[in-house]
Amino acid sequence: MSSRVIVNFVAYQVAWFACVLGGAHGLPWVGVAVTAAAVVILLVGSPAPWRDAALITAVAAIGALWDGLLAGLGLLVYPSGMILPWLAPVWIIAMWAGFATTFYVSMRWLLGRWWLASLFGAIGGPLAFYAGMRLGAVSFPNPVAALAVLAVGWAVLMPLTAWIAVKLEADPQAPTPAAANPQPSWRPRSHLISGYRRLFGVVIAFAPDIQTDLRVGAGLKPAPTSGYHVRWLYHARRL
């Protein structure tokens, strides 16, 4: 794994937490500033900065409208950062911009794998929002409906983002064409297996919390956690 991939991955994680924690504590512009720094880091080291900037702009616009729509419909409630109605909070828009910085670097292996991208989106999108909810950055008036809509939406938005990235890279008018800067279009099978293991681990790790929240949201009594489930939870969180 190259140093550029590691830097990109770490920068995005830092930006994500800055956005979520800033939004949760009434400091939405902190996440915007940290994400701006992550974007600058990407563009400075990019072989095709105009291509990356175009992807970041497009994805941020899509995220602003999509999450703004969900907020306008009452599926998501944000505690801070809302400037205009039917538009996502500024820190959510920044999060989408930070997300876009990964598609030519640490998440490049998703490009061209549309069904895999859809699967990762359907599972990872709701889990990311659920984690944000646990940190106080968003709330779900109706958890079942919100998570279902997020799953469907992200099953489309993840491959859509990957498709836009592929189209921009193939643009013959781009300052640095893809042919001049070849990148492997595949990754060793071990990388895919590792990705599946981590995704499975995250799903298992969050499963009891999600089940409890959904049952409470539906007015049902939370189900007790068995010792067997606790053992699975312990091992899943170590993946």
Side-chain angles (χ1 to χ4, degrees):
M1 183 179 296
S2 69
S3 59
R4 185 166 180 257
V5 172
I6 295 173
V7 169
N8 176 254
F9 176 79
V10 172
Y12 173 62
Q13 296 303 315
V14 171
W16 189 91
F17 277 104
C19 288
V20 170
L21 296 177
H25 294 88
L27 300 170
W29 292 102
V30 171
V32 175
V34 174
T35 303
V39 170
V40 170
I41 291 173
L42 171 79
L43 296 180
V44 168
S46 172
W50 291 107
R51 174 205 64 187
D52 293 349
L55 179 65
I56 291 169
T57 302
V59 172
I62 292 172
L65 296 176
W66 166 250
D67 282 315
L69 174 63
L70 298 186
L73 293 174
L75 291 170
L76 306 177
V77 177
Y78 296 105
S80 67
M82 296 285 292
I83 296 179
L84 296 173
W86 296 91
L87 191 67
V90 291
W91 60 271
I92 282 286
I93 299 174
M95 188 182 295
W96 277 91
F99 173 64
T101 66
T102 66
F103 271 82
Y104 290 126
V105 192
S106 56
M107 289 185 63
R108 187 182 183 87
W109 54 274
L110 270 183
L111 301 187
R113 295 188 171 95
W114 313 122
W115 288 108
L116 182 59
S118 183
L119 175 63
F120 265 68
I123 298 175
L127 285 178
F129 272 85
Y130 182 80
M133 184 270 290
R134 301 289 289 189
L135 293 172
V138 64
S139 60
F140 307 140
N142 187 332
V144 176
L147 291 174
V149 172
L150 285 168
V152 174
W154 273 89
V156 175
L157 292 172
M158 183 72 87
L160 174 62
T161 301
W163 180 82
I164 294 173
V166 169
K167 290 300 180 182
L168 287 174
E169 191 171 42
D171 183 3
Q173 302 301 321
T176 303
N181 183 42
Q183 296 285 344
S185 59
W186 57 275
R187 286 291 186 268
R189 181 174 296 182
S190 60
H191 283 230
L192 290 178
I193 295 175
S194 176
Y196 279 123
R197 287 181 66 250
R198 291 182 181 277
L199 183 61
F200 176 73
V202 170
V203 172
I204 295 298
F206 275 110
D209 294 333
I210 295 175
Q211 181 189 37
T212 298
D213 287 339
L214 292 180
R215 290 179 66 87
V216 171
L220 301 175
K221 182 180 179 180
T225 303
S226 66
Y228 174 80
H229 197 102
V230 169
R231 289 195 298 272
W232 262 102
L233 185 61
Y234 170 76
H235 290 294
R237 282 176 171 161
R238 294 181 62 192
L239 291 176

